[in-house]
Amino acid sequence: MRFLGVITCLVFGTLCAEGSDVLELGDSDFEETTAMHETMLVEFFAPWCGHCQRLAPEYETAATKLKGTVALAKVDCTVNTQSCERFGVNGYPTLKIFRNGEESGSYDGPRSAAGIVSYMKKHAGPSSVTLHSEADLDSFVDNFEASVVGFFSGDDSAQLAEFLKSSSALSDSYRFAHSTDLGTGLKYGVDGEIVLLFHPPRLNSKFEDSVVKYTETVSTSSLRTFIRDNVFGLCPHLTTENRDSLRERDLLTAYYNVDYLRNLKGTNYWRNRIMKVATQFQGRGLNFAVADRKEFQDELEEEFSLGQSEEEDIPLVTIRTREGHKYTMQEEFTRDGKSLERFLEDYFANRLKRYVKTEAVPESNDGPVKTVVADNFDEIVNDPEKDVLVEFYAPWCGHCKNLEPKYKELGEKLAGDPNIVIAKMDATANDVPPNFDVQGFPTIYFVPSGQKDQPLRYEGGREVSDFISYLKKEATNPLILNDSRDEL
């Protein structure tokens, strides 16, 4: 298979390193090769460059995932000085996008594999690829992601026009192709105009159909709904690229050594056992996925306090709901799937204890600024009788440290007011409830009494007077300040 990868590159008149999907370009073939690709991302690098070395594995992974959609190439500028000088390369790595051999612009997207894939898909080719033969179809659907393919009776088909309109609207999220020769899809039972969704070949399983039929009249809204409901299948591969979409729903994830590039059989060994159990719980509102534990190790430690283990080949199972509730399977995953069955039965019977990352509740909490942790959040912040101003902070945050004396002074000024609480929570050590959007630090919310489901993000100044002015306007009751001159 690795030798086949080299042959594939040679077809395009250039070379790939053995086992690599990244094309290697030089001064002699740069123009010819880039001209053969509608869209190509080119990295200009130097072997001694540390940033280039760190980018290399991400770039390789992205090239594999984008294979058949966007070509990725690289140029060693210590050898191919002509090409690098021509395109004004004066630092490494420099990444540029080319379309049909012409420089389109600089690449200014993320440097992670998932980020490169996501960025380049949005800048690649036509919204729907034209397929002329069964071989074209086979090549298109042999991809790391799902494929949506329309089969139509001719170029003048009204359904084709709607399909192309839909693909234009949805191509940033999904892959589309079409054929005006119904015979192209003959082996999939195509005998009339139809749209088929192909799951990624690596995820094919006896537990679900690998091809799903869309039988309605084509329209953007109905096609969007069809794809959304079917694109991931019974048990998709969760990655950093698709996690936001998958986590819009209640999701069970099994983390283990998932590697579809180097260990397809071993990866699907565990996935098939998960799918066998999943079929017993379909239609109950819980979705399933597998994920590479190494890819998500930092997140597992941050969100579930689960460190690395010597048993990384054994799936580690968690559930995360849309509301932010989290559960972990304590029993070791058994090869017969019975432990997973028991875990799911307990979940649906509401017998599981939610996992909450929390610091210990303070023994004493009598200061002017109340310390909130996950275990006392409801008691303090959601006290229905009190207005609460709560700061979500990080211990290492410089802005939080600058705010601390002013926030303490605010607490002291309001210490005699029985109707309001000034509070703070270390958001790095405690789970933040999902209705509080904390993306940076400090983030401050006002939570009024009687309206605990409607927290208000504080966007005002950071001086004590700014907070006082805000609270005078928003507080349920008139403020009682320690300085009697400010009493209302």
Side-chain angles (χ1 to χ4, degrees):
M1 291 298 293
R2 299 182 73 186
F3 182 66
L4 180 60
V6 178
I7 293 176
T8 302
C9 295
L10 285 171
V11 170
F12 293 101
T14 189
L15 287 172
C16 289
E18 185 178 355
S20 170
D21 290 312
V22 177
L23 304 177
E24 294 183 355
L25 306 183
D27 289 339
S28 61
D29 63 356
F30 188 96
E31 286 189 24
E32 179 184 356
T33 305
T34 55
M36 297 175 67
H37 294 268
E38 186 170 286
T39 305
M40 175 182 279
L41 178 63
V42 179
E43 175 200 4
F44 298 88
F45 76 101
W48 47 259
C49 163
H51 292 298
C52 305
Q53 293 165 8
R54 285 189 288 274
L55 174 63
E58 301 292 328
Y59 202 67
E60 288 282 352
T61 300
T64 298
K65 291 187 175 183
L66 286 167
K67 189 176 181 179
T69 303
V70 177
L72 268 62
K74 62 184 179 181
V75 178
D76 183 348
C77 289
T78 64
V79 177
N80 303 286
T81 56
Q82 181 181 336
S83 296
C84 298
E85 289 175 359
R86 175 184 172 189
F87 295 106
V89 176
N90 52 24
Y92 307 114
T94 293
L95 289 91
K96 293 180 179 289
I97 299 172
F98 290 80
R99 298 186 188 279
N100 300 310
E102 298 294 326
E103 181 183 356
S104 174
S106 297
Y107 172 88
D108 57 1
R111 297 296 174 94
S112 65
I116 293 170
V117 169
S118 178
Y119 186 96
M120 291 308 299
K121 281 185 177 179
K122 295 177 181 178
H123 293 77
S127 62
S128 179
V129 176
T130 303
L131 307 178
H132 300 285
S133 65
E134 186 177 290
D136 286 350
L137 173 62
D138 291 342
S139 176
F140 183 78
V141 301
D142 185 15
N143 193 271
F144 206 75
E145 295 189 1
S147 306
V148 182
V149 183
F151 300 88
F152 304 99
S153 57
D155 291 328
D156 58 351
S157 167
Q159 285 289 279
L160 172 60
E162 286 298 320
F163 181 84
L164 294 177
K165 180 180 176 181
S166 300
S167 68
S168 180
L170 303 174
S171 61
D172 280 355
S173 302
Y174 309 110
R175 305 178 69 246
F176 292 89
H178 64 276
S179 175
T180 54
D181 178 3
L182 297 179
T184 300
L186 188 61
K187 70 178 180 181
Y188 296 103
V190 173
D191 57 5
E193 295 195 328
I194 195 172
V195 176
L196 300 180
L197 185 151
F198 294 81
H199 289 140
R202 75 186 191 287
L203 300 182
N204 287 350
S205 167
K206 65 181 181 180
F207 296 105
E208 66 178 343
D209 293 332
S210 59
V211 181
V212 185
K213 294 182 179 180
Y214 169 79
T215 56
E216 299 180 34
T217 300
V218 178
S219 72
T220 300
S221 59
S222 66
L223 189 58
R224 179 189 285 113
T225 300
F226 166 78
I227 298 172
R228 184 194 64 207
D229 292 346
N230 293 281
V231 67
F232 291 123
L234 178 60
C235 186
H237 177 195
L238 175 73
T239 67
T240 52
E241 182 183 351
N242 65 19
R243 63 181 165 189
D244 289 343
S245 296
L246 280 168
R247 288 176 179 169
E248 291 176 354
R249 55 191 80 183
D250 297 347
L251 184 68
L252 178 148
T253 306
Y255 299 91
Y256 58 100
N257 183 23
V258 172
D259 189 344
Y260 279 104
L261 297 178
R262 301 173 184 84
N263 188 16
L264 177 65
K265 184 177 180 181
T267 297
N268 279 333
Y269 173 86
W270 287 113
R271 179 172 175 267
N272 285 335
R273 280 150 180 77
I274 294 159
M275 293 181 76
K276 182 178 180 180
V277 176
T279 58
Q280 303 173 40
F281 295 88
Q282 277 184 288
R284 299 181 66 175
L286 182 65
N287 296 271
F288 298 81
V290 297
D292 181 38
R293 183 165 179 174
K294 291 180 180 178
E295 184 177 359
F296 287 92
Q297 186 57 55
D298 289 345
E299 182 179 289
L300 286 169
E301 292 182 11
E302 174 70 21
E303 297 293 328
F304 291 91
S305 300
L306 295 170
Q308 294 184 350
S309 167
E310 295 181 359
E311 299 294 333
E312 291 190 1
D313 285 342
I314 305 297
L316 179 69
V317 178
T318 71
I319 293 175
R320 184 198 303 262
T321 71
R322 288 168 295 179
E323 292 77 21
H325 299 163
K326 299 183 292 186
Y327 306 87
T328 61
M329 190 171 93
Q330 300 299 315
E331 187 179 355
E332 183 175 290
F333 196 110
T334 55
R335 295 177 188 273
D336 61 6
K338 295 298 183 183
S339 60
L340 181 59
E341 284 183 30
R342 288 189 288 271
F343 177 64
L344 286 167
E345 288 166 356
D346 287 343
Y347 170 75
F348 285 111
N350 294 316
R351 292 193 292 262
L352 294 180
K353 181 180 179 180
R354 272 197 290 155
Y355 172 79
V356 179
K357 184 175 71 171
T358 182
E359 295 177 291
V361 175
E363 293 183 7
S364 175
N365 206 4
D366 300 325
V369 178
K370 305 300 179 187
T371 298
V372 177
V373 298
D375 276 350
N376 69 359
F377 191 93
D378 282 342
E379 177 188 344
I380 296 178
V381 179
N382 289 334
D383 183 340
E385 303 299 323
K386 296 185 185 295
D387 292 337
V388 180
L389 188 73
V390 57
E391 173 206 2
F392 297 95
Y393 72 95
W396 45 259
C397 164
H399 294 298
C400 303
K401 293 176 182 178
N402 292 336
L403 176 62
E404 186 174 5
K406 300 172 185 177
Y407 203 65
K408 182 179 179 181
E409 182 182 343
L410 173 66
E412 291 169 344
K413 281 185 172 291
L414 292 167
D417 191 332
N419 301 310
I420 194 163
V421 173
I422 306 302
K424 65 178 182 179
M425 178 179 185
D426 181 353
T428 68
N430 298 275
D431 278 342
V432 177
N435 55 332
F436 293 85
D437 183 22
V438 178
Q439 300 293 331
F441 304 110
T443 295
I444 301 171
Y445 276 89
F446 177 68
V447 191
S449 64
Q451 302 178 64
K452 296 302 178 177
D453 60 339
Q454 300 177 44
L456 304 173
R457 190 183 185 100
Y458 175 77
E459 303 285 4
R462 302 292 173 84
E463 299 297 329
V464 175
S465 59
D466 296 321
F467 289 117
I468 294 293
S469 297
Y470 175 84
L471 292 172
K472 283 181 177 180
K473 290 186 295 183
E474 297 293 342
T476 305
N477 300 290
L479 295 187
I480 300 174
L481 298 165
N482 282 349
D483 184 346
S484 60
R485 291 172 299 175
D486 290 326
E487 188 173 321
L488 293 180

